[in-house]
Amino acid sequence: MSSVIDFVSESLKRNPLPRSAPFREELPSGWKRVESRTKPGTFYYAHPATNRTQVQPPTGTKQLDAEAPAQEAKMAQVEPDKDTERKRKFKQVEEEAEAEQEMVEEELKRIKAAKKAKELEAKKRAEEQARREKERKEREAQLEKERLQREAEERKRQQELEALAEEKRRKEAEARHKEHEAQRRKAMVFEQHSILQRKLAEDARKKQAEEEEEKRKRAAEEKEQQKTQKTQPKDPKDSKDPKDQKKTEEDEAARKARAEKLDAKIWKQRIPDPSEPITTACFEVYKMGKHQRTHLFSGDKSSWIIGRGPAGVDVVISNARISRKHAEVTSQGPLMFLNDMGSTYGSAMNGEKIEAKSPVELTNGARFRFGGLPELYVYREPAEEEEEPSSPPVEAEVSGMAMAEDFADLPPPQSEPLPPPTPAPAPEIDAEAAAAACAAQQAQAAEEDEARVRRIQQKRQERRAAEAAEKVQMAAKKEEERKKKEERNQKKRALKEAKAAQKAARAKPAKEGGADAPDPELAAGDATPPDAPLPDAGSASPPEEEPTGLEEMEAKAAVDFF
């Protein structure tokens, strides 16, 4: 609408209306003359019914003189009907203005609807473009992911190929190293065998010379003793009198008996169970049944030294009977071993002496003594929440660690020394045969180690099974005792109730005879009232009278009932 008005105003500027004598226009029906809003003083012609506008007067417009209104006024006075016609025309103009206003509002609505539709169209185009952009980015991301996956697979294949090549090179190097090691071992075995033969011959000669020197010294000492015995008086101990010898033997036997009794008392002293669960393997030290201290085997170490010290010792025992490094505790996987390191006064486990350099397995509750001291060392192993699986085979380093009882099937060592071997010339040795013999010995030693480890594991499992069976037996025994105690309490309770019922029955006839007559038994205090509380089962019950025949029947019926 504003564009139409602008066009009309520009046309009026180019072709202004002639300014002649004042006149008045009479427009055709439906047309009206409208003043421009943007440019006052200019007019245009509009037909609201047909929505037409123009600058030039429409066809059928009549030019009337400006003085016509005055004449019309005069005529109005004369002709009153013309006033009605004028009102009608004025009303028609108002209606035409309202129609024009409605037309303008409709145009504005149409413009707003068109603008809104354009905005919606632009929004849809933007959403479509964003969706396409998102799909494009997703496709690009998927392609990038696939590319990275292909590259990772390619790198993995390359690494596998490199690993295979490296494994092949390593195996070849190991084969070469084994071959070289076998050759070196053959040469070493041959050299060691030669050295051993020479050493044996040299040792035999030295031993023979030492024996001869020892014989000469012994002969000289015997001569010296004979001379001193002739000059000095005889000692009662050296006397060959049977009475003195018997007395000496009795004193020695009494001393040994006292020592054995003291040792048995130390070994059999009562050791209380631990009050708290054990979390770390340890030695608990007891003396005369009293706990003294605890030594923990913790940390990243796999071995702990027991000794007098002062340096390089983990468990310090300050006593002259303890060697500087007396014994060693080692951890081999799930097992713990104790090894006497050749101490002067030795070590003992559960009353039996431990051989030097012969490791024994530490079991839960095992008792140890070092140097014959009265202190008792009790081994405690950590409590296990659940049964652990069977131990895996121990590595080769366990081959030298075994219990003394594992050698029970071997023949005892010879007490007398073997005669010295006669020196013999070193024979010629085949290097290949020596290497084969060495390999066979190593294989046999490995088999023996495995068998020893299996025996240790089997004994440990048997010990655990025995402990579990003992626990079950103790629990069953406690349950049986509890049931017996409960039965005794029930019988006592039933007997009390039967007595109370009997007393009530006796008191009933007395009440019927007279309320004021007291029961002689109740007055004497021999019976318990029915509402009195029952005594505890653990408290001492008072002495009871011998029941009569009726009382026995009632008590028996009550016991049978309960």
Side-chain angles (χ1 to χ4, degrees):
M1 191 68 182
S2 59
S3 60
V4 174
I5 294 171
D6 293 340
F7 174 74
V8 172
S9 60
E10 290 295 330
S11 299
L12 290 175
K13 286 182 181 179
R14 288 194 300 267
N15 301 315
L17 295 174
R19 295 188 179 275
S20 58
F23 65 93
R24 184 174 60 85
E25 293 180 344
E26 185 178 352
L27 300 175
S29 176
W31 288 88
K32 64 179 181 177
R33 188 165 176 263
V34 182
E35 185 177 5
S36 176
R37 297 179 182 177
T38 58
K39 296 180 180 180
T42 59
F43 297 87
Y44 66 94
Y45 299 92
H47 193 280
T50 58
N51 198 13
R52 292 173 56 192
T53 58
Q54 60 186 30
V55 178
Q56 300 296 331
T59 305
T61 303
K62 297 179 180 180
Q63 299 288 337
L64 300 178
D65 190 3
E67 296 177 354
Q71 296 177 0
E72 289 177 359
K74 291 180 181 180
M75 291 176 66
Q77 294 177 0
V78 178
E79 299 176 357
D81 294 338
K82 290 183 179 181
D83 188 19
T84 304
E85 184 68 19
R86 213 168 32 251
K87 289 181 181 180
R88 185 186 62 78
K89 288 183 178 181
F90 181 75
K91 186 176 181 181
Q92 184 178 1
V93 170
E94 287 181 350
E95 291 175 354
E96 290 176 355
E98 290 176 358
E100 181 185 2
Q101 186 67 23
E102 291 177 357
M103 182 182 65
V104 171
E105 290 177 356
E106 289 178 359
E107 184 67 18
L108 292 174
K109 288 181 181 179
R110 185 184 63 78
I111 292 171
K112 288 181 180 180
K115 184 178 180 181
K116 189 174 182 180
K118 190 180 292 183
E119 290 177 354
L120 290 174
E121 185 67 22
K123 186 176 180 181
K124 287 181 180 180
R125 284 197 300 271
E127 290 177 353
E128 182 69 18
Q129 186 177 1
R131 185 182 61 79
R132 291 178 180 176
E133 183 68 18
K134 184 178 179 181
E135 292 178 354
R136 183 184 65 79
K137 288 182 179 179
E138 288 179 354
R139 285 196 300 272
E140 291 178 355
Q142 183 67 19
L143 293 174
E144 182 68 16
K145 184 178 179 181
E146 293 176 357
R147 183 183 66 79
L148 293 175
Q149 188 175 1
R150 287 195 299 272
E151 291 179 357
E153 292 177 355
E154 186 66 26
R155 284 196 300 272
K156 187 176 180 181
R157 284 196 297 271
Q158 189 68 21
Q159 290 175 358
E160 290 177 354
L161 293 175
E162 291 177 358
L164 291 174
E166 183 66 23
E167 182 70 16
K168 186 177 179 181
R169 289 194 296 271
R170 187 181 62 80
K171 288 182 179 179
E172 292 177 355
E174 287 180 356
R176 289 194 298 270
H177 178 70
K178 287 181 179 179
E179 185 177 358
H180 177 70
E181 188 68 21
Q183 294 177 358
R184 186 181 66 81
R185 194 180 295 110
K186 287 180 182 180
M188 187 183 298
V189 168
F190 180 77
E191 183 179 359
Q192 288 180 354
H193 191 73
S194 302
I195 293 171
L196 180 62
Q197 292 295 330
R198 291 194 296 271
K199 187 177 179 181
L200 289 174
E202 185 69 23
D203 290 344
R205 286 192 296 270
K206 286 182 179 180
K207 192 170 184 180
Q208 188 175 3
E210 287 176 358
E211 286 180 355
E212 292 176 357
E213 183 68 23
E214 186 70 24
K215 286 179 181 180
R216 286 195 297 270
K217 287 182 180 180
R218 195 179 297 113
E221 287 177 358
E222 287 178 357
K223 289 180 181 180
E224 188 68 25
Q225 278 183 357
Q226 289 176 2
K227 290 180 181 180
T228 54
Q229 285 177 1
K230 290 178 181 180
T231 58
Q232 294 180 359
K234 295 182 178 180
D235 190 5
K237 292 184 179 179
D238 298 333
S239 177
K240 295 184 179 180
D241 188 1
K243 293 182 179 181
D244 295 339
Q245 290 182 357
K246 186 176 181 181
K247 185 177 181 181
T248 305
E249 291 175 358
E250 288 177 355
D251 294 341
E252 186 69 20
R255 187 185 63 79
K256 287 183 179 180
R258 287 196 300 271
E260 290 177 358
K261 186 175 181 181
L262 180 60
D263 286 346
K265 185 177 180 181
I266 292 173
W267 283 112
K268 294 180 180 180
Q269 60 179 298
R270 184 178 177 277
I271 303 299
D273 294 332
S275 58
E276 297 180 356
I278 305 299
T279 58
T280 306
C282 64
F283 264 149
E284 292 183 349
V285 185
Y286 291 88
K287 188 173 182 180
M288 304 306 292
K290 295 182 180 180
H291 182 265
Q292 302 293 322
R293 58 189 178 276
T294 302
H295 299 288
L296 299 177
F297 301 127
S298 58
D300 299 334
K301 301 175 65 175
S302 60
S303 64
W304 298 266
I305 302 297
I306 302 172
R308 190 175 73 247
V313 176
D314 299 294
V315 180
V316 180
I317 306 176
S318 301
N319 195 287
R321 296 182 64 86
I322 302 298
S323 302
R324 293 184 183 276
K325 291 187 178 181
H326 196 98
E328 181 184 15
V329 177
T330 57
S331 173
Q332 297 289 341
L335 305 179
M336 299 283 286
F337 295 88
L338 185 138
N339 180 27
D340 188 276
M341 302 175 71
S343 60
T344 305
Y345 293 97
S347 307
M349 181 182 77
N350 296 333
E352 297 180 1
K353 186 177 180 181
I354 300 175
E355 296 182 5
K357 307 296 183 181
S358 296
V360 295
E361 183 187 2
L362 296 179
T363 58
N364 189 29
R367 303 184 177 192
F368 294 85
R369 289 176 64 190
F370 302 103
L373 297 179
E375 291 181 339
L376 195 65
Y377 289 72
V378 181
Y379 175 72
R380 301 292 188 187
E381 65 181 7
E384 298 179 357
E385 296 181 358
E386 57 183 4
E387 185 66 22
E388 62 180 5
S390 59
S391 303
V394 186
E395 297 296 333
E397 59 262 23
V398 191
S399 60
M401 312 294 287
M403 296 176 62
E405 57 189 11
D406 294 337
F407 298 95
D409 54 348
L410 297 179
Q414 297 181 3
S415 59
E416 298 181 358
L418 295 175
T422 58
E428 295 183 358
I429 301 173
D430 187 3
E432 294 183 357
C438 182
Q441 289 178 358
Q442 291 179 354
Q444 185 178 1
E447 291 178 359
E448 291 177 356
D449 293 341
E450 290 179 0
R452 188 180 300 110
V453 171
R454 284 196 296 271
R455 287 198 300 273
I456 292 171
Q457 293 176 354
Q458 183 178 2
K459 289 177 181 177
R460 188 174 185 181
Q461 291 176 358
E462 291 175 355
R463 184 173 62 254
R464 287 182 179 171
E467 290 177 357
E470 186 177 357
K471 288 181 180 179
V472 172
Q473 188 176 1
M474 291 295 294
K477 188 175 180 181
K478 288 182 180 179
E479 182 66 20
E480 186 177 357
E481 291 178 356
R482 188 188 63 79
K483 288 182 179 179
K484 288 182 179 179
K485 187 176 180 180
E486 188 176 354
E487 289 177 359
R488 288 196 299 269
N489 293 339
Q490 288 181 356
K491 288 180 179 179
K492 287 182 179 181
R493 195 177 295 111
L495 187 59
K496 292 291 183 182
E497 290 178 357
K499 282 187 177 183
Q502 184 181 359
K503 297 299 180 183
R506 288 180 180 178
K508 187 174 181 182
K511 287 182 180 179
E512 292 176 355
D516 297 334
D519 191 354
E521 294 183 357
L522 288 176
D526 294 336
T528 304
D531 56 349
L534 294 177
D536 293 336
S539 62
S541 58
E544 300 176 356
E545 297 179 354
E546 291 294 330
T548 61
L550 180 61
E551 292 175 353
E552 287 181 357
M553 293 177 62
E554 291 178 352
K556 187 176 180 181
V559 170
D560 294 339
F561 175 76
F562 285 99

